[in-house]
Amino acid sequence: SAALTSKVMKIAFIEKMEDVIENDSEVTHFDLSQSVTEVILSPIKIKLKIDSADVETSYHPVVQSGGDYDLKLTAESNKNILKPDIIIASIGARYRSYCGTITRSFFVDAPKRIVEIYAALLQTHSRCADSLRSGVPLKEVMAAAHNFLKERYASLIPHLTRTLGCALGLDFKEK
């Protein structure tokens, strides 16, 4: 599922997004999301030799841009036109009952402040990764994120989402 999701992101989303931006084309978030779904359901389109009967989406792909972002797991693509600024794409595919998800942020002439905030979040991500150990409850990983932000970037704490993401497994949302 991870290989499928990664390849769909690279070929079905990134290449299409780049084409839209480079050619000043217009496509809605929803339409781009639909085209990604079609590739997930028919992996032969990206030269993956896996049976399409073993594949489905974990959730409908989410594409967002233009300053209107919803970072919740329940987010959906809207009918707004893709804007070349800050683009967020989230894709989830299920292969033989296993789910893989990937979310990426793309900056196209993003404001300097946004790039700085993103760098802070990457540092926070590294702290979280350092906290991940067998037997360590995930709430301690969340606490590490909060503590790091509190020390260095306290102004970002109110904007932190309730969860820090998801993982690979049988269920899209596990407790």
Side-chain angles (χ1 to χ4, degrees):
S1 64
L4 169 64
T5 305
S6 178
K7 195 162 186 178
V8 167
M9 175 65 84
K10 182 178 181 182
I11 297 172
F13 179 76
I14 294 175
E15 289 182 8
K16 176 70 174 174
M17 175 193 66
E18 289 174 343
D19 184 58
V20 166
I21 292 170
E22 288 173 7
N23 294 308
D24 289 323
S25 303
E26 286 193 357
V27 65
T28 67
H29 300 144
F30 182 80
D31 289 342
L32 188 50
S33 175
Q34 283 293 108
S35 69
V36 170
T37 296
E38 291 170 13
V39 173
I40 291 171
L41 298 178
S42 184
I44 195 72
K45 290 180 178 182
I46 55 172
K47 298 180 176 68
L48 272 178
K49 296 177 183 174
I50 56 178
D51 189 345
S52 60
D54 291 333
V55 175
E56 60 185 306
T57 60
S58 299
Y59 56 90
H60 197 71
V62 180
V63 179
Q64 302 175 66
S65 69
D68 185 21
Y69 306 101
D70 180 357
L71 302 180
K72 296 176 186 154
L73 291 176
T74 57
E76 295 181 359
S77 296
N78 59 32
K79 299 262 184 182
N80 295 345
I81 300 293
L82 184 74
K83 301 286 185 196
D85 54 8
I86 301 160
I87 301 167
I88 299 175
S90 184
I91 298 171
R94 183 183 302 263
Y95 175 69
R96 293 189 177 167
S97 301
Y98 283 91
C99 297
T101 65
I102 185 170
T103 300
R104 292 291 179 260
S105 302
F106 303 92
F107 298 137
V108 182
D109 298 325
K112 182 180 177 188
R113 178 72 179 136
I114 297 298
V115 174
E116 291 169 352
I117 290 170
Y118 192 76
L121 293 177
L122 287 177
Q123 291 175 19
T124 307
H125 179 268
S126 291
R127 284 290 173 103
C128 290
D130 292 343
S131 300
L132 288 171
R133 301 278 182 265
S134 178
V136 174
L138 291 178
K139 68 180 180 181
E140 289 184 24
V141 176
M142 183 69 156
H146 274 274
N147 291 338
F148 177 75
L149 286 173
K150 187 176 179 181
E151 291 171 13
R152 297 215 177 150
Y153 307 100
S155 65
L156 297 180
I157 291 175
H159 305 287
L160 196 61
T161 57
R162 194 173 64 81
T163 63
L164 296 178
C166 51
L168 182 69
L170 293 174
D171 293 312
F172 174 60
K173 290 169 57 174
E174 295 184 18
K175 294 185 178 184

